[in-house]
Amino acid sequence: MDKAPAFQALTVETLPARLGAVEALASRIGADSSRWDVREVGDGNLNLVFIVKGEKGGAVVKQALPYVRLVGESWPLPLKRSFFEYHALVRQEARAGEGTVPAIYHFDEAQALIVMEYLTPHVILRRALIDGRMPPKIARDLGLFMARTLFRGSDLSMKARARKEDLALFAANAELCDITESLVFTDPYYEAAMNRHTAPQLDALVAELRADRDLKVEAQKLKHMFAANAETLVHGDLHSGSIMVTDEDTRVIDPEFAFYGPMAFDVGMLLANFWMAYFSQAGHEGAGHEKAGDREAQRAYLLGVIVETWSVFREEFSHLWRSERTGMLYDRRLYEDRGDRLGSEQALDRILHDIWVDMLGFAGVEIHRRILGLAHNADFETIEDEDLRATCEAKALKFGRHICVNRERIHGLDEINALAVRFEKDLVA
Amino acid sequence: MDKAPAFQALTVETLPARLGAVEALASRIGADSSRWDVREVGDGNLNLVFIVKGEKGGAVVKQALPYVRLVGESWPLPLKRSFFEYHALVRQEARAGEGTVPAIYHFDEAQALIVMEYLTPHVILRRALIDGRMPPKIARDLGLFMARTLFRGSDLSMKARARKEDLALFAANAELCDITESLVFTDPYYEAAMNRHTAPQLDALVAELRADRDLKVEAQKLKHMFAANAETLVHGDLHSGSIMVTDEDTRVIDPEFAFYGPMAFDVGMLLANFWMAYFSQAGHEGAGHEKAGDREAQRAYLLGVIVETWSVFREEFSHLWRSERTGMLYDRRLYEDRGDRLGSEQALDRILHDIWVDMLGFAGVEIHRRILGLAHNADFETIEDEDLRATCEAKALKFGRHICVNRERIHGLDEINALAVRFEKDLVA
């Protein structure tokens, strides 16, 4: 068997010659690759991302690098993350439906590259929210996406052996799990070298959080759950920077952190990013595409998106529970087959309750790491006035601490969003 | 490379010729295999077990069959379970210490056979307890064994990548997990074909339990945990039939069900088997090696063993937490390294509390499946008077239901054992 050629990073110059013979690309861009227009648009964190256009259309070529692009060769990262991204995209499309993720045209494992659909005129959801836009479909699309991928990747739906085999496959994505395990759950809670926060404004609050025993025990319990509770294939990095939108379309991208983990992780991370967008609004008054000064409508929109996302998730999860519970858990012979639909509903409520409780924990931790850890959010980072930014961040930090530590004692989003409003308006000490 | 010869089941007649050249065996039994004394002693459930003796000593040869021995070829079961048993024994010895499991002399993967230490004059613990014996060291030895294997196989101790790799290896033990998933957690709670119970005496109670929504939702939640929560390498079948004892020595055998699962599973299954022994005592009055009539001392012994096993487990787990917490969870930089030992103790209490709560659930389910499912316990089965047996079993079933459903609201073994006494003495309806 011929050995695959060794990995080599693409450049704008070499891409047409190297990929010109790939039929999946040539058929979509144009046969003469010397006439392709290639731009590199990677946002700089991990990978190379090229947009390739030609007479027939466009495509995206995403290639992993053997290190973290942002940091350089001193932080190696396996090329195999491209393999996991490819396999996650395949499963997500099968589980959530065509048009929920970018269509895949070609995968080259040795070159760690995926050729996929060029999404246009889509923008990154985080950017849209910072600009004060209100894409109308995101709550529904993301609620459905999460319910379908999380339910259908679990023992509620899959054959037990198939899930165990897939779990073993994704268990090799250890380095990317390690990034989350360290950067999300541990580093923010002590003086880790790569941390940063808005200083000196937040110093006192940060010290308080790092001495907070109740918070740290929750964060580590959630880390334990993240690492050990392999209940479904999660996206693993489902924040507003991993979503591209138009007013009509919503696509979930970049699942290279995918692995078998807890259902509540994706849900919590996503809602956390909406709450952070909410708390960042005061820093964006007067900016963006709407008329200056007023972000009150944007705040209301974001709280509404949170309520609707959870509500759609809950509805769809319940629908799948009732209509396609084909896995080994909560066997219908225990319930429906003996006429006990009420018992089945009781079990469903219990599962949704557990997801709810853990989701709040993951959301709190995600908020903290985006303000205290290595990887910050543009929602806050684009607020140039540091005092104003710190004020927004402080409210989010306190809110995150509250929902994380009190997650077993908070019962609904009305309650939480009312709390978010109180934190935002400084009505809570 | 030569291909390994195809699997062939050993017999008493063929064993000496086939294994005579295995140095690990010849050096322990004697060089002339024609003079070996071979007996087959498998208890008939799954495998072949041979005791081989000769002038120099003895050894055990355990060989898997490609089906469930008890049922026959109609129930196929992979030979690879021998591979998992071997790898589990290696890890258990490394984690719990030499002399806690049988020493391994030789492993032949293709023939699915393990040559191991011949334990003598050991007897199966379940048999000893039925006979009214009180081996004095079991609580201490088993408490230590569980704390050490469960702690050291988890992210509290292992490097994260090493645990994920090992988890992927054992994820292939899907068929044996499936046995537990079906026979322990689901079948007992509906009219599955292979179930049996003492009838008609228990019919009404069995119907009541199968209609019990609170119980069934707990059992399925525990099944979900069993299947998805891959926190450590568990033995997977740690009942009193998987333990061999003398007054001085305790060995844990038969880990072919091993996989990465919840810590609480082994603990719960073991204590459940002690509680079942307790509830079976009324059926053994007047039998066994002690003077006839009185099993009160045996009852007290069993409740004492339960208290001590948990207490030793808790103490040793706490000791390991303080002295060798080298994994990625509850990083010392969050606690001890910043002088916060109290925070570390708070986290430890939280983990032990979670193990406690889940252990009670697994114990309740284990009691049920041994009375309602396919695989029954000799503790009850050897009670010939069916009315008497049913009386013992009914108490155990009710007790199991109580600790399973109320597991979050029960706070200590004093409370539970007092409850066991009340159930046993018929002081509870």
Side-chain angles (χ1 to χ4, degrees):
Chain A
M1 224 171 63
D2 285 347
K3 225 176 144 223
F7 172 83
Q8 206 176 349
L10 292 163
T11 65
V12 168
E13 292 73 30
T14 61
L15 188 147
R18 287 185 57 196
L19 301 184
V22 174
E23 173 58 21
L25 206 48
S27 67
R28 283 178 179 90
I29 313 292
D32 179 1
S33 70
S34 71
R35 298 178 59 190
W36 292 358
D37 170 42
V38 183
R39 278 185 304 136
E40 209 281 310
V41 298
D43 63 0
N45 273 343
L46 295 182
N47 308 295
L48 297 172
V49 181
F50 301 91
I51 295 174
V52 187
K53 290 193 219 174
E55 57 197 32
K56 298 181 73 174
V60 162
V61 177
K62 179 172 177 180
Q63 187 179 36
L65 290 168
Y67 50 83
V68 177
R69 186 179 183 186
L70 176 67
V71 177
E73 301 192 14
S74 63
W75 187 344
L77 202 62
L79 292 173
K80 202 175 176 187
R81 64 186 187 271
S82 181
F83 169 90
F84 298 115
E85 175 164 2
Y86 167 73
H87 282 286
L89 284 166
V90 169
R91 285 155 182 71
Q92 287 166 346
E93 183 174 276
R95 289 167 190 168
E98 271 183 47
T100 59
V101 297
I104 299 171
Y105 302 146
H106 177 70
F107 171 55
D108 182 334
E109 185 175 350
Q111 296 301 321
L113 69 81
I114 305 173
V115 181
M116 64 183 101
E117 185 178 2
Y118 171 44
L119 299 171
T120 180
H122 297 64
V123 294
I124 293 287
L125 175 58
R126 192 187 303 288
R127 189 70 247 168
L129 298 178
I130 291 170
D131 287 345
R133 296 187 179 276
M134 305 180 195
K137 286 186 70 227
I138 57 169
R140 177 161 178 80
D141 289 344
L142 294 168
L144 291 176
F145 178 84
M146 293 192 297
R148 290 170 182 172
T149 55
L150 300 176
F151 185 95
R152 289 176 175 154
S154 79
D155 279 331
L156 295 169
S157 169
M158 290 180 79
K159 294 288 163 235
R161 168 170 267 292
R163 190 191 60 87
K164 286 186 170 77
E165 281 171 4
D166 217 35
L167 179 165
L169 180 92
F170 280 92
N173 201 8
E175 283 81 3
L176 274 82
C177 287
D178 173 65
I179 291 179
T180 307
E181 286 153 3
S182 299
L183 297 191
V184 175
F185 293 101
T186 297
D187 288 4
Y189 300 104
Y190 80 102
E191 294 72 20
M194 290 188 299
N195 285 345
R196 64 188 173 84
H197 64 260
T198 307
Q201 293 88 340
L202 294 179
D203 285 352
L205 178 55
V206 171
E208 190 186 307
L209 292 172
R210 288 183 182 152
D212 188 327
R213 287 176 183 142
D214 293 346
L215 175 61
K216 287 194 293 186
V217 76
E218 288 301 332
Q220 290 300 305
K221 185 176 159 65
L222 290 158
K223 180 178 184 173
H224 198 166
M225 215 182 284
F226 174 85
N229 193 17
E231 61 184 2
T232 194
L233 184 68
V234 299
H235 178 285
D237 199 31
L238 190 58
H239 53 73
S240 48
S242 297
I243 296 159
M244 296 190 76
V245 293
T246 64
D247 276 1
E248 292 77 37
D249 193 35
T250 311
R251 302 294 185 105
V252 175
I253 65 171
D254 287 352
E256 59 207 299
F257 284 83
F259 77 110
Y260 279 76
M263 293 184 179
F265 184 72
D266 281 353
V267 188
M269 182 180 276
L270 181 63
L271 296 197
N273 279 268
F274 292 143
W275 275 309
M276 282 187 274
Y278 171 81
F279 283 106
S280 76
Q281 291 304 311
H284 301 300
E285 306 271 5
H289 84 300
E290 295 293 334
K291 69 176 196 295
D294 188 7
R295 286 282 181 140
E296 207 46 41
Q298 186 73 6
R299 284 194 191 90
Y301 163 79
L302 287 164
L303 296 185
V305 163
I306 291 166
V307 171
E308 189 187 348
T309 302
W310 174 258
S311 152
V312 170
F313 169 80
R314 205 185 144 89
E315 275 309 303
E316 179 67 7
F317 194 96
S318 303
H319 168 69
L320 297 174
W321 174 277
R322 291 172 196 131
S323 60
E324 53 173 83
R325 205 170 75 247
T326 53
M328 68 167 178
L329 296 178
Y330 302 90
D331 194 305
R332 303 181 79 86
R333 287 171 294 190
L334 298 169
Y335 296 108
E336 288 85 348
D337 291 359
R338 43 189 297 145
D340 188 11
R341 287 201 300 198
L342 197 53
S344 166
E345 294 296 304
Q346 175 172 332
L348 169 62
D349 278 350
R350 173 77 181 257
I351 284 206
L352 286 168
H353 173 75
D354 289 344
I355 296 174
W356 164 261
V357 166
D358 296 337
M359 174 277 280
L360 291 179
F362 288 123
V365 166
E366 166 71 4
I367 292 173
H368 287 166
R369 72 101 166 199
R370 293 292 190 175
I371 300 173
L372 305 181
L374 172 68
H376 286 225
N377 270 0
D379 311 66
F380 294 122
E381 293 297 292
T382 52
I383 304 173
E384 286 184 15
D385 179 332
E386 293 197 353
D387 289 339
L388 180 55
R389 188 203 310 153
T391 305
C392 295
E393 289 175 329
K395 291 168 182 172
L397 285 173
K398 290 176 192 168
F399 173 77
R401 191 267 174 201
H402 184 91
I403 61 172
C404 184
V405 169
N406 296 291
R407 62 204 175 93
E408 296 184 31
R409 294 173 286 275
I410 299 177
H411 300 103
L413 278 170
D414 287 353
E415 193 181 327
I416 297 184
N417 280 342
L419 189 84
V421 170
R422 288 173 58 80
F423 273 98
E424 209 279 325
K425 292 190 188 303
D426 257 338
L427 300 173
V428 183
Chain B
M1 221 172 68
D2 286 348
K3 224 176 146 226
F7 171 84
Q8 207 176 351
L10 292 163
T11 65
V12 169
E13 293 72 29
T14 61
L15 187 147
R18 287 185 56 197
L19 301 185
V22 174
E23 172 59 22
L25 207 48
S27 67
R28 283 178 178 88
I29 314 292
D32 180 0
S33 69
S34 71
R35 299 177 58 191
W36 292 359
D37 170 43
V38 183
R39 279 185 302 138
E40 210 281 310
V41 297
D43 64 359
N45 273 343
L46 295 181
N47 308 294
L48 298 171
V49 181
F50 301 91
I51 293 173
V52 187
K53 290 193 221 175
E55 59 197 29
K56 298 181 72 174
V60 163
V61 177
K62 179 171 178 180
Q63 187 179 37
L65 290 167
Y67 50 82
V68 177
R69 186 179 182 184
L70 175 68
V71 178
E73 301 191 16
S74 63
W75 186 344
L77 202 61
L79 293 173
K80 202 175 176 188
R81 65 187 188 270
S82 181
F83 169 89
F84 298 115
E85 175 165 1
Y86 167 72
H87 281 286
L89 284 166
V90 169
R91 285 156 182 70
Q92 288 167 346
E93 182 173 273
R95 289 169 190 167
E98 270 182 47
T100 59
V101 297
I104 299 170
Y105 302 145
H106 177 69
F107 172 55
D108 183 333
E109 185 174 349
Q111 296 302 321
L113 71 81
I114 305 173
V115 181
M116 65 183 102
E117 186 178 1
Y118 171 44
L119 298 172
T120 180
H122 298 64
V123 294
I124 292 287
L125 175 57
R126 191 186 307 284
R127 190 69 249 166
L129 298 178
I130 292 169
D131 287 347
R133 296 187 181 277
M134 305 181 195
K137 286 186 71 231
I138 55 168
R140 178 162 178 79
D141 290 344
L142 294 168
L144 291 177
F145 178 84
M146 292 192 296
R148 290 170 182 170
T149 55
L150 300 176
F151 185 95
R152 290 176 175 152
S154 79
D155 279 330
L156 294 171
S157 169
M158 291 179 79
K159 294 287 163 239
R161 168 171 268 294
R163 189 191 60 87
K164 287 186 170 79
E165 281 170 3
D166 217 35
L167 179 164
L169 180 93
F170 280 92
N173 201 7
E175 284 81 2
L176 274 82
C177 287
D178 173 65
I179 291 179
T180 307
E181 287 153 2
S182 299
L183 297 191
V184 175
F185 294 102
T186 297
D187 287 5
Y189 299 105
Y190 79 102
E191 294 71 20
M194 292 187 299
N195 285 346
R196 63 188 174 84
H197 64 258
T198 306
Q201 293 88 340
L202 293 180
D203 285 352
L205 178 56
V206 171
E208 189 186 309
L209 292 172
R210 288 183 182 152
D212 188 326
R213 289 178 181 141
D214 292 346
L215 174 62
K216 286 194 293 185
V217 74
E218 289 301 331
Q220 289 301 304
K221 186 176 158 64
L222 289 158
K223 180 177 184 175
H224 198 165
M225 216 181 287
F226 174 84
N229 193 16
E231 60 183 2
T232 194
L233 184 69
V234 299
H235 179 283
D237 198 31
L238 190 57
H239 53 75
S240 49
S242 297
I243 297 160
M244 297 193 73
V245 293
T246 65
D247 275 0
E248 293 77 35
D249 193 35
T250 311
R251 303 292 185 107
V252 176
I253 65 170
D254 287 353
E256 59 207 300
F257 285 82
F259 77 110
Y260 279 76
M263 293 185 179
F265 185 72
D266 280 354
V267 188
M269 182 180 277
L270 181 63
L271 295 198
N273 278 269
F274 291 143
W275 275 311
M276 282 188 274
Y278 171 82
F279 283 107
S280 75
Q281 291 305 310
H284 303 299
E285 306 270 6
H289 83 303
E290 295 295 333
K291 70 179 196 295
D294 189 7
R295 286 282 182 140
E296 207 48 39
Q298 186 73 7
R299 286 193 190 91
Y301 163 80
L302 286 164
L303 296 185
V305 162
I306 290 166
V307 170
E308 190 187 348
T309 301
W310 173 257
S311 152
V312 170
F313 169 79
R314 203 184 146 91
E315 276 306 304
E316 180 67 6
F317 194 95
S318 303
H319 168 68
L320 298 173
W321 173 275
R322 292 171 197 132
S323 60
E324 53 173 84
R325 204 170 77 247
T326 53
M328 68 167 179
L329 296 177
Y330 303 90
D331 195 305
R332 302 180 79 85
R333 288 171 294 190
L334 297 168
Y335 296 108
E336 288 84 348
D337 291 359
R338 45 188 297 145
D340 189 11
R341 288 200 301 199
L342 197 53
S344 165
E345 294 296 304
Q346 175 172 333
L348 170 62
D349 278 350
R350 173 77 180 257
I351 283 205
L352 286 167
H353 172 76
D354 289 346
I355 295 174
W356 165 262
V357 167
D358 297 337
M359 174 278 279
L360 291 179
F362 288 123
V365 166
E366 166 70 5
I367 292 173
H368 288 165
R369 73 101 167 199
R370 292 291 190 177
I371 301 174
L372 305 181
L374 171 69
H376 286 225
N377 271 359
D379 311 66
F380 295 121
E381 293 297 292
T382 52
I383 303 173
E384 286 183 15
D385 179 332
E386 293 195 355
D387 289 338
L388 180 54
R389 188 203 310 153
T391 306
C392 294
E393 289 175 329
K395 292 169 182 172
L397 286 173
K398 291 177 192 167
F399 173 78
R401 191 267 175 202
H402 183 91
I403 61 172
C404 184
V405 169
N406 297 290
R407 62 202 174 93
E408 295 183 33
R409 293 174 286 276
I410 298 176
H411 299 103
L413 279 169
D414 288 353
E415 193 180 330
I416 298 184
N417 280 344
L419 190 84
V421 171
R422 289 172 59 80
F423 274 98
E424 208 280 325
K425 292 190 188 304
D426 257 339
L427 299 174
V428 183

